[in-house]
Amino acid sequence: MSYVDGFIVAVPKANIEAYKDMAREAGDVWMEHGALSYAECLGDDVPYGEVTSFPRAVQAKEDETVVFSWITYKSRADRDAIVAKVMADPRLQGDAWKNVFDGKRMIYGGFEAFLEK
């Protein structure tokens, strides 16, 4: 079974193209360092729930959209090694992302897959 890192973030609609550019570069970096797949998805049908929802989870504002992303790896050990390489990669250094989205409202975590079809 594979290992998955998942992410949810609110991105201002005015920054969507900048986010896409950033994601394309990050995806290239992750794949070059050994990730099995890299996906970025813009919210299309993500209603604001009464108790909980994707928009509530990241405190999305009216002028923001929710982005749901994931990266897959062969294992947790592979993920840990790949992430170390990605974080050291000079293409992803710096704080440019801070102009694109608020990292304090990003939700992320690693998950061990138990079912894949």
Side-chain angles (χ1 to χ4, degrees), residues 22-42:
M22 184 186 67
R24 285 183 191 102
E25 182 171 29
D28 288 345
V29 172
W30 250 274
M31 296 301 292
E32 286 173 24
H33 288 297
L36 298 178
S37 69
Y38 182 100
E40 296 269 2
C41 308
L42 295 175

Side-chain angles (χ1 to χ4, degrees), residues 7-9 11 16 19-20 23 38-44 46 54 65-70:
F7 307 86
I8 304 169
V9 66
V11 177
I16 292 297
Y19 185 88
K20 286 179 177 180
Y38 182 100
E40 296 269 2
C41 308
L42 295 175
D44 179 57
V46 286
F54 281 107
T65 190
V66 175
V67 176
F68 176 49
S69 310
W70 66 90

Side-chain angles (χ1 to χ4, degrees), residues 10 12 16 19 21 58 81 89 100 104 110 115:
I16 292 297
Y19 185 88
D21 290 342
V58 292
D89 193 298
V100 180
K104 293 177 186 169
L115 175 65

Side-chain angles (χ1 to χ4, degrees), residues 1-115:
M1 290 288 151
S2 62
Y3 195 83
V4 179
D5 277 337
F7 307 86
I8 304 169
V9 66
V11 177
K13 292 175 183 174
N15 293 348
I16 292 297
E17 290 308 313
Y19 185 88
K20 286 179 177 180
D21 290 342
M22 184 186 67
R24 285 183 191 102
E25 182 171 29
D28 288 345
V29 172
W30 250 274
M31 296 301 292
E32 286 173 24
H33 288 297
L36 298 178
S37 69
Y38 182 100
E40 296 269 2
C41 308
L42 295 175
D44 179 57
D45 183 18
V46 286
Y48 208 92
E50 288 185 34
V51 177
T52 189
S53 63
F54 281 107
R56 280 188 180 279
V58 292
Q59 301 173 352
K61 301 170 186 158
E62 286 293 318
D63 66 338
E64 295 177 324
T65 190
V66 175
V67 176
F68 176 49
S69 310
W70 66 90
I71 306 164
T72 61
Y73 314 89
K74 285 196 282 186
S75 66
R76 167 80 189 263
D78 280 4
R79 177 264 213 155
D80 292 347
I82 291 165
V83 169
K85 292 174 189 174
V86 166
M87 293 299 121
D89 193 298
R91 293 172 288 179
L92 298 185
Q93 299 301 309
D95 293 334
W97 62 271
K98 291 182 179 180
N99 297 322
V100 180
F101 67 92
D102 179 2
K104 293 177 186 169
R105 293 186 287 141
M106 178 171 59
I107 296 172
Y108 61 92
F111 300 84
E112 185 177 327
F114 71 91
L115 175 65

